[in-house]
């Protein structure tokens, strides 16, 4: 098949809409549902991300995409008991299911209504994880019969399931139209591999294997994130993605705030929240987010908390949050372009950042390096910008 007609483009008034090939066959097959224009944009970008993660690490990977940027991306590493609790999953999941639990769990609010991408054949465990979540669709190189049956039953039989040829390689030159004008550029096939992190420019030079892996996760995620972007990673998964900001420091703050929220979800007070029976998953996730925030009174006011909790929770105070966040450490950060000032490092270290990878090349590189040295942070210059628009 060379062409697939779509209902409409980004918005209902944008017609006609289709995906097509000028040469050869489409590398995707719709196994269920009717994916739209934005669905395919998310699907094809997220597929490139998980494919690159597996290439760089040898581990299966998953991503949770919204509006052409990842809400989360992760490798298929085992989940701790606390991680299972904050992601609301059971023990004994397959590596691929663990990867999606991590990707979806990185930022559950932003993952609401996501597009999922899987680097490997979707198995039954992963399909069962996807089934109860609010999600628009999934792309993978294949599906077991059991997984496909589960996914076809989702959304009253309308869930979007797309299979992609894992051997498909795009043309070396890509094109797009903006305002009726044709743009052309080389496809960004630059490989992000461990040797990209060899140019360490700080006094601290010890880059453990786990941190090197996490920096690769950050950089690969950034390659498929709307720029400007900064990504925080821990234990093989993104914990904060700051996408599409005009200012680098705003990227760093946004991603850092998300990383802090991810960590605060592991606070004993949050783990001890007692929800009412049969609470909807989105309502539960939203309640946790509000409880952690400065707007906690919106969920804890008399006459309101009873709608969500069986027992009224104690407030998680500002001091308790500060003390808990101060315990976060071992975080890796990547940036898709250079840090122009040391303020980005100052903000990053407040969220436990110990390792940084960025292109370098700012006229103030010396200030950024000095700021890292001030806190004993290891920083590598990759020499490679990763803008994506």
């Amino acid at each position: 098949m060379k062409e697939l007609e779509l209902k409409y483009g980004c918005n209902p008034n944008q017609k006609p809409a289709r995906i097509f090939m000028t040469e050869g066959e489409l590398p995707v097959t719709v196994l269920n549902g009717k994916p739209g224009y934005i669905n395919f944009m998310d699907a094809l970008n997220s597929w490139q991300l998980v494919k690159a993660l597996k290439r760089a690490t040898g581990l299966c990977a998953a991503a949770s995409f919204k509006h052409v940027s990842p809400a989360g991306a992760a490798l298929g590493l085992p989940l701790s008991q606390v991680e299972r609790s904050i992601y609301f999953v059971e023990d004994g999941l397959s590596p691929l299911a663990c990867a999606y639990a991590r990707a979806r769990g990185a930022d559950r609010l932003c993952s609401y209504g996501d597009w999922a991408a899987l680097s490997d054949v979707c198995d039954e465990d992963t399909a069962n994880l996807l089934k109860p979540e609010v999600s628009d669709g999934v792309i993978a190189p294949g599906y077991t019969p059991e997984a496909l049956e589960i996914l076809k039953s989702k959304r009253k039989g309308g869930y979007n399931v797309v299979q992609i040829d894992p051997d498909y390689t795009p043309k070396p030159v890509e094109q797009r139209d903006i305002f009726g004008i044709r743009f052309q550029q080389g496809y960004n096939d630059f490989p992000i591999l461990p040797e990209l992190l060899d140019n360490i420019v700080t006094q601290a030079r010890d880059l453990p294997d786990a941190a090197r892996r996490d920096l690769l996760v950050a950089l690969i995620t950034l390659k498929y994130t709307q720029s400007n972007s900064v990504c925080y990673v821990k234990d093989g998964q993104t914990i904060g993605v700051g996408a599409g900001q005009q200012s680098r420091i705003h990227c760093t703050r946004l991603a850092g705030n998300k990383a802090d929220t991810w960590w605060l979800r592991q606070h004993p007070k949050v783990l001890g929240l007692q929800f009412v029976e049969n609470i909807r998953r989105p309502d539960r996730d939203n309640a946790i987010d509000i409880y952690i925030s400065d707007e906690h009174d919106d969920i804890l006011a008399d006459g309101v908390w009873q709608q969500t909790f069986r027992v009224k929770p104690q407030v998680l105070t500002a001091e308790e949050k500060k003390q808990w966040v101060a315990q976060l450490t071992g975080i890796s950060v990547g940036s898709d372009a250079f840090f122009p000032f040391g303020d980005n490092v100052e903000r990053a270290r407040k969220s436990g950042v110990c390792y940084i990878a960025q292109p370098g090349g700012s006229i103030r590189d010396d200030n950024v390096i000095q700021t890292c040295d001030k806190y004993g942070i290891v920083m590598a210059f990759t020499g490679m910008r990763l803008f994506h628009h």
Side-chain angles (χ1 to χ4, degrees):
M1 181 175 65
K2 288 193 174 187
E3 176 178 321
L4 181 63
E5 185 177 353
L6 306 176
K7 188 174 182 180
Y8 52 76
C10 285
N11 298 290
N13 65 296
Q14 292 179 267
K15 299 176 182 179
R18 60 173 177 154
I19 59 172
F20 65 98
M21 302 289 287
T22 55
E23 298 177 12
E25 299 290 309
L26 280 169
V28 293
T29 303
V30 177
L31 302 181
N32 198 66
K34 295 181 179 180
Y37 190 95
I38 295 176
N39 291 150
F40 274 113
M41 292 179 73
D42 282 340
L44 297 177
N45 278 283
S46 59
W47 164 250
Q48 293 175 84
L49 193 164
V50 296
K51 184 178 181 180
L53 282 178
K54 182 163 186 181
R55 176 186 180 187
T57 67
L59 299 171
C60 63
S64 174
F65 250 62
K66 282 286 293 292
H67 296 294
V68 207
S69 281
L75 302 174
L77 299 172
L79 296 166
S80 69
Q81 182 176 348
V82 170
E83 288 169 332
R84 293 195 300 272
S85 296
I86 65 172
Y87 302 149
F88 305 101
V89 298
E90 302 297 327
D91 195 6
L93 294 176
S94 68
L96 188 64
C98 287
Y100 181 67
R102 288 174 173 276
R104 175 89 186 199
D107 187 344
R108 288 192 61 85
L109 259 67
C110 287
S111 287
Y112 180 86
D114 71 343
W115 186 280
L118 309 172
S119 66
D120 291 53
V121 172
C122 181
D123 56 21
E124 189 173 358
D125 278 358
T126 310
N128 277 322
L129 272 190
L130 275 163
K131 185 176 181 180
E133 300 287 8
V134 177
S135 172
D136 275 358
V138 58
I139 187 170
Y143 301 84
T144 66
E146 297 82 6
L148 187 57
E149 183 178 355
I150 292 167
L151 294 172
K152 282 185 173 182
S153 69
K154 184 174 169 61
R155 288 178 61 172
K156 299 180 179 179
Y159 188 62
N160 296 312
V161 181
V162 176
Q163 182 170 323
I164 187 164
D165 177 1
D167 297 322
Y168 168 72
T169 301
K171 293 179 180 179
V173 175
E174 59 185 14
Q175 300 178 345
R176 65 189 294 194
D177 288 353
I178 299 177
F179 196 49
I181 298 171
R182 180 63 52 92
F183 285 61
Q184 178 175 296
Q185 65 176 353
Y187 173 70
N188 188 3
D189 59 357
F190 181 81
I192 298 176
L193 299 172
E195 51 267 29
L196 191 64
L197 303 170
D198 288 345
N199 182 23
I200 296 175
V201 297
T202 48
Q203 293 175 5
R205 303 187 60 82
D206 182 20
L207 187 60
D209 289 343
R212 188 177 290 267
R213 174 204 63 200
D214 286 353
L215 288 174
L216 291 176
V217 172
L219 293 174
I220 291 169
T221 299
L222 292 167
K223 187 179 177 183
Y224 302 101
T225 301
Q226 294 296 298
S227 299
N228 288 325
S229 56
V230 168
C231 181
Y232 290 56
V233 174
K234 184 173 176 61
D235 296 336
Q237 73 164 88
T238 66
I239 59 173
V241 179
Q245 304 301 300
Q246 289 77 19
S247 166
R248 182 72 38 188
I249 186 60
H250 287 154
C251 297
T252 307
R253 290 172 184 164
L254 176 59
N257 291 343
K258 289 185 177 185
D260 293 347
T261 296
W262 173 84
W263 180 240
L264 284 167
R265 283 165 53 197
Q266 302 179 49
H267 191 283
K269 280 190 173 181
V270 180
L271 294 175
L273 293 173
Q274 300 180 49
F275 294 98
V276 296
E277 295 295 330
N278 300 319
I279 187 171
R280 296 172 63 248
R281 299 165 78 88
D283 293 337
R284 176 202 61 201
D285 295 337
N286 190 52
I288 292 172
D289 191 69
I290 296 172
Y291 174 73
I292 291 170
S293 76
D294 294 337
E295 283 75 45
H296 50 73
D297 287 345
D298 291 350
I299 199 75
L300 298 181
D302 287 339
V304 176
W305 69 263
Q306 293 92 337
Q307 301 171 34
T308 303
F309 304 107
R310 289 186 284 114
V311 178
K312 184 177 182 180
Q314 294 182 339
V315 171
L316 184 59
T317 67
E319 184 60 29
E320 287 175 318
K321 288 189 282 190
K322 182 179 179 181
Q323 291 176 356
W324 186 256
V325 170
Q327 299 177 46
L328 184 57
T329 189
I331 307 302
S332 296
V333 156
S335 176
D336 66 352
F338 61 67
F339 281 157
F341 302 102
D343 57 354
N344 290 277
V345 178
E346 293 280 1
R347 173 60 189 91
R349 67 99 186 173
K350 292 177 182 178
S351 295
V353 170
C354 298
Y355 313 99
I356 294 174
Q358 56 128 328
S362 167
I363 60 173
R364 300 176 185 84
D365 276 348
D366 55 349
N367 172 251
V368 177
I369 293 170
Q370 289 167 9
T371 309
C372 285
D373 289 341
K374 178 181 175 181
Y375 299 110
I377 293 172
V378 180
M379 183 167 64
F381 280 179
T382 66
M384 178 55 62
R385 196 177 75 177
L386 296 169
F387 277 178
H388 177 69
H389 292 286

